[in-house]
Amino acid sequence: MPSSHGYAAHDAHSALIPHQFSRREPGRTEITLEVLFCGVCHSDLHMARNEWGNALYPMVPGHEIVGRVIAAGSGVSKFKTGDIAAVGVIIDSCRHCAPCNRGEEHFCVEGATLTYAMPDRVDGSITMGGYANNYVVDERYAHTVPTHLDLAAVAPLLCAGITTWSPLRHWGAGPGKKVGIVGLGGLGHMGLKFSHSLGAHTVQFTTSERKREDALRLGADDVVLSSDDAQMKAQTSSFDFILDCVSAPHQLDDYLPLLKQDGTLCLVGLPPEPPSFAPFNLIGGRKSVSGSMIGGMPETQEMLDYCGEHNIVADVEVIPIQKINEAFERLLKQDVKYRFTIDMSSLK
Ligand code: NAP
Ligand code: ZN
Ligand code: ZN
């Protein structure tokens, strides 16, 4: 068994600390990765602190993984030893339901296996994530990486990237469309880059006036301070699509009047408390509130390939694993530009 070590949460209130565990040898269609970089998603914080009520401890978080293949089973065809590979939020699914057969493994009717804190379908252990030295995964759930990109900045594409790419594509962000992105954090800044790159007129909403210049640099056509009533009113009935990437409770009723007739507000942010909104803000204009979760394996590869062609990566602050607890605190203060990525060589 490959010996593994990383950083784990042991309960909802304590800091993450070094943790030893083991993973299986790779099976016939599996690879073992040496983890090079792992992004720090706000979901890692929600999960480690049991804010969604589904934590399993000890928990090694991390689902934005870029690594080097150090072992491969005899049936692996997509990778060879030495290749760079990436793993996102899901690492298995039933592989036979209709969504799995369509390549929408994230909507598996039997439930996809998450990268950490879930029973593993193969060996029954609890999955341990990418804040660790290695990872074992079936090649179906691993992706090839455009290696000319900065790998530290590629890691966040595996969650923040696909989670914003998928709804922007589904709802047709592109020329002639006006798209709003709410919250300039890890997800939000990727949503902004993608929406701009796809050709939509893109407006960034933020609670942080200090992020205005960055939002413009990242591709925003306009930036709106959401606490400023006049700036918000000026956007009334103008959006085809608004992507809400906020991690904390906030007022959806502030955004619904900004949609055009038949417009959609899509939630990807997952504050622990359920949102509420006035039905009157939906009925006049037949508006929709919807949600979206990461993306399937083919769509994730499509997004990575697009990033390779268009030189799109996350804006990252690279940290050693020893700073992970500080990084969590800074996430809560909206103090990250715009994703932390752990350099896993710091584990040694
Ligand atoms: P993040 O980097 O911490 O960014 C969240 C942003 O939300 C902040 O930068 C801030 O933007 C805004 N915000 C924070 N607190 C706020 C408040 N009290 N009121 C209004 N705005 C506030 O987090 P992330 O990693 O992007 O994740 C965002 C959310 O998406 C999390 O809840 C995460 O769990 C969820 N998520 C969902 C999926 C999915 O598949 N649906 C996948 C990954 C993550 P401004 O400073 O610009 O206001
Ligand atoms: Zn995530
Ligand atoms: Zn399935």
Side-chain angles (χ1 to χ4, degrees):
M1 300 264 260
S3 86
S4 303
H5 58 283
Y7 267 54
H10 290 263
D11 58 57
H13 309 291
S14 314
L16 272 64
I17 54 171
H19 180 64
Q20 307 262 353
F21 58 102
S22 60
R23 303 197 196 263
R24 63 176 174 273
E25 294 293 344
R28 206 182 69 79
T29 57
E30 293 182 330
I31 54 175
T32 303
L33 295 180
E34 173 196 0
V35 179
L36 300 176
F37 296 101
C38 186
V40 179
C41 180
H42 205 114
S43 301
D44 298 343
L45 190 160
H46 290 309
M47 283 290 290
R49 299 187 178 178
N50 199 20
E51 291 175 357
W52 296 329
N54 58 347
L56 287 173
Y57 301 107
M59 179 194 301
V60 176
H63 58 207
E64 294 184 336
I65 300 169
V66 171
R68 183 176 290 111
V69 178
I70 53 172
S74 59
V76 170
S77 58
K78 203 156 74 178
F79 302 100
K80 57 182 188 325
T81 305
D83 284 353
I84 300 297
V87 178
V89 179
I90 72 169
I91 51 98
D92 208 350
S93 60
C94 83
R95 310 184 195 191
H96 55 70
C97 71
C100 281
N101 286 336
R102 287 198 293 272
E104 292 188 314
E105 297 89 343
H106 54 315
F107 298 143
C108 175
V109 294
E110 295 182 18
T113 307
L114 301 179
T115 309
Y116 61 86
M118 270 197 114
D120 187 285
R121 281 181 150 82
V122 175
D123 63 18
S125 66
I126 298 303
T127 55
M128 298 284 179
Y131 294 5
N133 63 326
N134 57 20
Y135 205 91
V136 176
V137 64
D138 191 283
E139 66 169 341
R140 173 171 176 167
Y141 302 87
H143 310 281
T144 60
V145 173
T147 46
H148 64 281
L149 298 176
D150 171 8
L151 295 182
V154 164
L157 301 178
L158 276 299
C159 177
I162 185 59
T163 300
T164 51
W165 172 262
S166 181
L168 287 167
R169 297 282 287 161
H170 181 78
W171 275 279
K177 293 285 175 74
K178 184 169 174 185
V179 169
I181 307 289
V182 186
L184 190 57
L187 266 59
H189 94 294
M190 288 312 309
L192 173 54
K193 287 187 186 204
F194 285 143
S195 179
H196 171 69
S197 172
L198 290 165
H201 181 92
T202 307
V203 177
Q204 179 69 49
F205 293 91
T206 182
T207 60
S208 310
E209 178 60 30
R210 67 182 188 282
K211 295 181 182 172
R212 178 177 294 273
E213 288 310 311
D214 281 347
L216 293 169
R217 174 180 58 80
L218 295 167
D221 295 289
D222 205 352
V223 182
V224 172
L225 186 65
S226 52
S227 55
D228 184 316
D229 288 344
Q231 288 184 38
M232 291 293 276
K233 261 211 164 70
Q235 303 288 334
T236 301
S237 302
S238 66
F239 286 89
D240 298 283
F241 183 65
I242 298 178
L243 187 63
D244 185 329
C245 305
V246 174
S247 53
H250 57 290
Q251 286 297 329
L252 300 193
D253 283 324
D254 291 348
Y255 294 94
L256 294 172
L258 310 189
L259 292 170
K260 281 182 191 164
Q261 182 187 322
D262 293 315
T264 297
L265 172 75
C266 176
L267 303 174
V268 286
L270 295 167
E273 298 79 9
S276 72
F277 51 86
F280 278 107
N281 277 331
L282 291 182
I283 62 171
R286 199 168 44 202
K287 295 169 183 175
S288 302
V289 173
S290 66
S292 186
M293 184 182 105
I294 47 169
M297 299 304 106
E299 192 176 30
T300 303
Q301 189 65 59
E302 172 197 80
M303 179 271 311
L304 286 166
D305 295 346
Y306 181 92
C307 289
E309 281 158 34
H310 297 264
N311 278 309
I312 295 175
V313 287
D315 282 27
V316 292
E317 179 178 336
V318 180
I319 58 165
I321 186 77
Q322 292 78 10
K323 290 219 162 147
I324 185 58
N325 296 300
E326 193 184 307
F328 275 8
E329 291 311 315
R330 283 181 57 195
L331 269 187
L332 290 174
K333 293 184 197 138
Q334 297 163 231
D335 175 24
V336 52
K337 289 183 169 179
Y338 279 89
R339 194 60 136 189
F340 294 113
T341 292
I342 306 165
D343 179 350
M344 217 48 76
S345 66
S346 60
L347 252 185
K348 286 171 188 156

